[in-house]
Amino acid sequence: MRRLGLLFGGRSGEHEISILSAASMIEAIDGNRYEIVKIGINKSGGWYLIEKDMSGIESLDDDRLKTLIPDGSGAQTGGAAKPVSPGDIPALVDFVFPALHGPYGEDGRMQGLLETLNVPYGGCGVACSAVAMDKIFTREIWARAGLPVCGHVALFAEDYKADPGGEIDAVESALGYPVFVKPANLGSSVGISKAKSREGLKEGIAEALKYDRRLIVEECVNCRELETGVLGNRQVLSAAVGEIIPAAEFYDYESKYRDAGTAIVVPADIPADTAKEIKNLAEKAYCVLNGEGFARVDFFLERETGRIFINEINTIPGFTKYSMFPLLWKEAGLPYGELIERIVELGYERYFSENHRKANGFGG
Ligand SMILES: Nc1ncnc2c1ncn2[C@@H]1O[C@H](COP(=O)(O)OP(=O)(O)O)[C@@H](O)[C@H]1O
Ligand SMILES: [Mg+2]
C-alpha cells in the first residue's frame, strides 16, 4: 500500500485553513489504497508526526486546531505527536500531498524541498508555484501572453521611500481611483485594501508594506468574481465555473473564512459562452506558467462591459469538501475522493517523466 504523506498546518496565515483542508481530505482518501501519514507543521516551522484522530474538524472554531500540532514549547498539547525532521520524509512516505496554503507551502519553497529530497508530490512544481504566488510576475507573464489582466502598477518600497509623491502621482495618472493595493506575495486578502483617495492610497501602501517590499496597485473592477479549476500536466482540463458572492464590500479575510453570508454558487449563473471563455482562459493562464497537477484560477467579470480579467491563480486552493475547488470538480463529474487520487497520479506521472529525473541527476 502506498504511504501518502499529508502535510498541513504550516507557517502562513492560512495555517488553520490548511488543517481543515487536510482533515477533510483524510475522510475522503480511500483507506484501502493509501496509508495516510499525517505530518503537521507548526507556525514556527516545527514538523510533527500526528497520531491523533482528526475526524470532524470542520470549523475554524474547533479548539483542536490549536492543540493538534505541538507549538514546540514542550507543553502538553493534547495529542500524540512526535517531532520529525524534513529529512525523515523519504523514509516515512512514498508520496507527499502538500495541503498547505500560502507562503512556505504553496509558493515553491516546500516544492523545492521535496524535489531536493527526491520525493514525488502533488501539485505545481517549484517555478510555477513561486511565480503563481507573485501577483506582479503573474500579471506580467499573462499580459505578455496576450491574456487579459486589469490595469496595474508595481510599486517597490525603496522607490516609494525615495519619492513617495512621485510614486503616488504615477499610480494616480495610470489608474485613477478607486484602486486596490496588495502585497505582491501573500494570500487570504491579508494586507489588501481598497483606496478611494490619495490619503487612502497612502494608508493602503503603508499597510501593504508591512507584509512585502513589493506591492501591486490595481484599477478597481466593478465585478462579479468567478473561479474555475484546472487539472493536468501538459494536457489539461477545466472544471465548472463557480461564483463567489462576498458578504463584505470585497472578499476580505473575514468574508473568506468567517462570514456565513458569503455565498459560493456552483455552477455560476452566467451565459454558456462566458463560462467557455473563462475555462479557456484558465487553461491558458495555467499552461503559460507551466502548471502541473492542479490549480484554481480566479476571474473578474466586469459588470458594465462583460469584460473578463484573470485575477490570480492559486496552486493549492482551499481543499475542504465545502471549498470551491472540489465543488467545481464535483459539478464537472469528478467526486472529491477521485479528485485527490487524480492529483496523486499526476504527481507520479511528473515524477517518473524521464527527462525530469535525469535532468535532476537521479539517473534514467
Ligand atoms: N482589481 C480589483 N478590482 C476589484 N476587486 C478586487 C481587485 N483586486 C482584488 N479585489 C477584491 O479583493 C479580493 C482579494 O484579492 P486577491 O487579489 O484575490 O487576493 P488574495 O490572493 O489575497 O486572494 C478579491 O477576491 C476581490 O474581492
Ligand atoms: Mg483571491
Side-chain angles (χ1 to χ4, degrees), residues 30 53 57 95 184 227 231 241 254 285 288 337:
D30 183 352
D53 178 35
I57 303 185
F95 185 94
E227 309 187 340
L231 198 56
V241 177
E254 282 294 306
V288 84

Side-chain angles (χ1 to χ4, degrees), residues 135 182 187-189 192 225 227 251 256 296 298 311-312 314:
K135 296 185 196 303
K182 313 175 182 179
S188 273
S189 302
I192 295 186
E225 297 192 54
E227 309 187 340
Y251 200 30
K256 262 182 194 167
R296 195 191 75 220
D298 299 351
N311 174 34
E312 60 164 343
N314 293 282

Side-chain angles (χ1 to χ4, degrees), residues 115-162:
E115 292 278 351
T116 307
L117 295 172
N118 194 22
V119 177
Y121 60 93
C124 292
V126 178
C128 174
S129 302
V131 170
M133 182 60 61
D134 190 299
K135 296 185 196 303
I136 299 174
F137 287 156
T138 48
R139 274 184 183 54
E140 289 182 358
I141 292 171
W142 287 331
R144 254 172 219 235
L147 299 172
V149 293
C150 69
H152 61 277
V153 172
L155 194 150
F156 290 70
E158 296 80 353
D159 303 341
Y160 184 69
K161 247 189 210 157

Side-chain angles (χ1 to χ4, degrees), residues 291-312:
E292 290 171 309
F294 68 111
R296 195 191 75 220
V297 189
D298 299 351
F299 293 85
F300 298 145
L301 174 66
E302 193 169 42
R303 291 179 192 275
E304 303 88 6
T305 62
R307 280 194 299 172
I308 298 166
F309 299 104
I310 309 172
N311 174 34
E312 60 164 343

Side-chain angles (χ1 to χ4, degrees), residues 221-244:
V221 183
N222 176 20
C223 62
R224 290 170 71 183
E225 297 192 54
L226 301 167
E227 309 187 340
T228 189
V230 181
L231 198 56
N233 289 341
R234 192 60 196 166
Q235 271 140 351
V236 303
L237 290 172
S238 50
V241 177
E243 179 169 16
I244 296 283

